[in-house]
Amino acid sequence: MLKNAIGREIPERIEGLGELTPYQGPFAIRPKNRRRGPQLRQVEPGEKKLLPNLEKALIETGAHDGMTISFHHHFREGDYLLDKVIDAAARIGLKNLVIAPSSLTNVHSSLIEHIKNGVIKRIETSGLRGSLGEFISKGMMDTPVIIRSHGGRARAIEAGETKIDIAFLSVSSCDNYGNASGCVGRNVCGALGYAMVDAKYAEKVVLVTDTLVDYPNVPASIDQTDVDHIVVIDAIGDSGGIMSGPLRHTSSPRDLLIAEYTAKVVEYSGYFKDGFSIQSGSGGASLAVARFLRDKMLEKNITASFMMGGISAQHTVMLKEGFVRKLYDTQTFDLEAVKSLAENPNHVEISAAYYANPHSKGAVVNCLDVGILSALEIDTDFNVNVITGSDGIIRGASGGHSDIAAGAKLKIVIAPLVRKRMPIVVDRVNTVTTPGETIDVLVTDWGIAVNQKQPELMAVLGKTGLPLYDIKELQEKAESITGRPDLIKYTDRIVGIVEYRDGSIIDVIRQVM
Amino acid sequence: MNRIRRTMLFVPGNNPSMINDPHIYKPDSIIFDLEDSVSLKEKDAARFLVYNALKSIDYGQTERVVRINALNTPYGREDLEAIVRAAPDAIRLPKAESADDLCTADQIISEIESKAGLAEGSVKLIAAIETALGVINAYKIASAGQRVTAVALGAEDFITDMKSERTNSGFELHVARIQILMAARAAKIDALDTVFSDVADEDGFKQEVMYIKKLGFDGKSVIHPRQIEMVHSIFTPTVEEVSYAKRVIEAAVEAETSGSGVIALDGKMIDKPIVERAYRVIGLAKEVRALA
């Protein structure tokens, strides 16, 4: 075991995953390799790409035991494709598959059966929820899952660390030569930002749609030059599912109080000026921050240059009203936003690599002024956990959290001080997904703590009348209500490794007792 | 003025997640409710919860008030037995109709204070007037002893008792408001207005708060944290008001120093009541600043 730069014990090697590099700092690892692309291929005039079903697509693309299949999670809780492909793989007798979806949600619990019956051997993902997260946390897989951020996944794919043999990508509409969109079709999902990376780098790309349209289906998010085959099925997903999950609009006074404090921190931080940029997360308070800022923007007569993050109707209204000049969209969070992406030229779809890949010539996160982030837990060193619950079970997603925290100029974590009788500020988070050195401020309903590494910001906010505390004082306040929770009991067995965006290991997740 | 009471936030006594930290919304007072928001089968649990919350949670500078059940119900006496021992700042007595109601409560509280080793009179009383009889007896209630620190109007029960209806203009409450206000002023205690139930109607709420401030109330009960900011902004003296008050006081001091009997400011004569009001504005501004 080695201790990484934030003091977490990391094994030097894990059976089935190989050598591990411990985390050394947010920009310590410099890339040395070249991008790894797919084998060149010639599709000749007259060749047909349409295949009758998923089994045929697996066979035609050379599916074999132990290969890696990737998926995207743009349909979130409404995804149908992943289950259908794995069922098809099981029917033709494939075993030991590695699946590398951009994330997994509550609808993917059927994977448990396929892990038990040997079809799936290993998982790489951003998140895990529901019974699948519980199953894995209880040590039911032989090889640990790899948890990556969205930028980290794009990096791993481009670097060839995640070598995708076949990408099965559901698209809302497609023509018979592989031009695909998420904005048009029977079941729309909006941006295809995660899928765009898979389409460029997977050895074989199979698009799956329920809406085959006339050639050419342009503008296309994924284009014909990257696509091997197309399969038409009855339904790829449920558009309604893109709104579920953690996203919600809030009227909760607690969320609104946090949002109000956060908007004030942004306002006084020095970054709130004409042309500023901001990303906000998917929680209720996070979405409400934008509403408070809107009023301040009106008052000060300023506009934002761009906003990003999961894009929702609220962002698109601000775009239409002229509060923001461009929206960057990797993942679309509701149907109103899908409509805007289709119609408004200033609402721009971007790939996960463009959004956050650290080993590129400049991801959008590097251009961001303010990032608003959530937390399941934060420790007194400002390390954040967004992956394991207070019971140690995997029930979250790394998402763009560490990417935003590394890139943006002002990184604010927002959370209620107490959630479901558990304190949010702790001595040591169960799992670190984002290192504390990349977090500047914690805003809670009880008050605000500034990272000591930001003395200037602390001095500026100190003059504003906002309720500022040392993070340890906030911890004491939380514990005065909840008491100090018992530590979770883990076995030594590692069930997941958490990669930092640069590919080093920031933490491991152990099996809960 | 006893203490600043622009807002009194009602919190249901049986809701642990709301009892934990209502002070983060910065009301001047919190009213932990054991009465109307708690169903009969929850009365014991709520009493237990509020007692323990008062004993263990630090609510900072926020005044801690508990609305008990009326003393003529099976719960009121037990509420006092438990809650007074947790040393809240005040007890809000519902449906106060006579000085006797307050004297009875005062006597019981005194006994418990003595048994619990608390200083006599440390737990104040706020009388909620919610019936026609209560309004008629308002001054007797307001002046029923040292412990009584404020009188409050409870509109819903009053409207029912009066067989009238709630309107946006509030004319049906006008006499009760004035009577309660006069009683409070005569007894030199606070006058607190009733809740505004439609949380979504921000305009209606604002109009009502402006209206009761002009009438002379010291503050208002609120049922939602989002209502607090509006009341505070209306009840907090503006920069212009504070600046004018300072100039009035300076003029008064100057007149006194120079031995002049007439105070003048900007060519106008300033009467003594205007000086008194100026001191009140400065006092309120100071208290608000101290709370912030």
Side-chain angles (χ1 to χ4, degrees), chain B residues 164-175:
Chain B
S164 47
E165 284 173 28
R166 251 329 220 138
T167 68
N168 285 341
S169 69
F171 65 82
E172 72 285 0
L173 296 177
H174 190 69
V175 171

Side-chain angles (χ1 to χ4, degrees), chain A residues 112-158:
Chain A
I112 293 172
E113 277 314 304
H114 291 304
I115 294 168
K116 284 184 184 164
N117 64 25
V119 175
I120 295 170
K121 182 180 172 54
R122 199 163 74 69
I123 296 176
E124 301 181 10
T125 178
S126 164
L128 286 165
R129 297 179 193 276
S131 50
L132 181 61
E134 207 161 316
F135 176 81
I136 290 167
S137 295
K138 288 186 175 161
M140 308 301 275
M141 283 190 90
D142 291 336
T143 311
V145 294
I146 300 179
I147 303 292
R148 288 196 180 95
S149 71
H150 293 325
R153 178 177 188 268
R155 182 206 58 76
I157 291 171
E158 290 194 6

